[in-house]
């Protein structure tokens, strides 16, 4: 059974940086699409970034490009989200997800109906 566990959330001042990590276990295939989603208070959960674990492709939401970067450590089966120049509106719960198992991400990586497994979430709070 696939398990996804996030870590690295916390509080930071606006303009600062945070790095979130996600450890995945129970993966069966060598190629998997994993990603990050977030839910800001009062808004629907949205896609942040995705990466093909075992591959090269990465995806970042247009509004976050230039500030957020997703990467992987294949040896450890971990995915990281580096967030820089954080803004107050980045505050929210961040979720790691196994988006698709055994394949690539595709341009519609952010569609949540296809998610195969969710982490429990980690809180990110950006203060003035």
């Amino acid at each position: 059974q696939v398990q996804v566990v996030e870590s690295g959330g916390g509080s930071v001042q606006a303009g600062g940086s945070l790095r979130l990590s996600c450890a995945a276990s129970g993966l069966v295939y060598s190629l998997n699409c994993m990603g990050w989603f977030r839910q800001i208070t009062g808004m629907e959960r949205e896609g942040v970034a995705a990466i093909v674990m075992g591959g090269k492709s990465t995806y970042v939401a247009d509004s976050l490009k230039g500030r957020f970067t997703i990467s992987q450590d294949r040896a450890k089966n971990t995915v990281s989200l580096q967030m820089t120049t954080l803004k107050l509106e980045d505050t929210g719960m961040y979720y790691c997800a196994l988006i698709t198992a055994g394949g690539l991400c595709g341009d519609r990586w952010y569609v949540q109906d296809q998610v195969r497994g969710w982490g429990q979430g980690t809180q990110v709070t950006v203060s003035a």
Side-chain angles (χ1 to χ4, degrees), residues 71-122:
S71 61
Q72 64 179 299
D73 184 328
R74 298 185 187 187
K76 296 181 179 180
N77 260 0
T78 58
V79 174
S80 295
L81 181 70
Q82 180 68 44
M83 306 183 291
T84 63
T85 320
L86 283 161
K87 304 176 181 180
L88 298 179
E89 53 265 38
D90 293 319
T91 294
M93 188 69 78
Y94 285 69
Y95 299 90
C96 184
L98 172 63
I99 299 173
T100 61
L104 306 178
C105 292
D107 291 337
R108 292 177 59 80
W109 57 270
Y110 51 86
V111 175
Q112 298 178 46
D113 289 349
Q114 64 187 328
V115 169
R116 302 294 296 274
W118 292 98
Q120 79 284 358
T122 186

Side-chain angles (χ1 to χ4, degrees), residues 12 19 27 30 46 49-50 60 63 70 73 92 95 114:
V12 65
R19 187 178 182 88
L27 297 175
S30 58
E46 62 177 354
V60 179
S63 62
I70 190 169
D73 184 328
Y95 299 90
Q114 64 187 328

Side-chain angles (χ1 to χ4, degrees), residues 7-70:
S7 62
S11 298
V12 65
Q13 287 190 320
S17 300
L18 271 179
R19 187 178 182 88
L20 307 182
S21 292
C22 172
S25 60
L27 297 175
V28 175
Y29 302 102
S30 58
L31 279 179
N32 299 278
C33 177
M34 294 201 64
W36 290 92
F37 294 77
R38 70 181 183 181
Q39 185 157 25
I40 297 169
T41 302
M43 299 181 64
E44 293 185 356
R45 187 162 52 188
E46 62 177 354
V48 173
I51 188 167
V52 178
M53 284 193 70
K56 297 180 180 180
S57 299
T58 61
Y59 306 79
V60 179
D62 288 342
S63 62
L64 301 175
K65 286 179 180 177
R67 296 196 300 122
F68 287 22
T69 304
I70 190 169

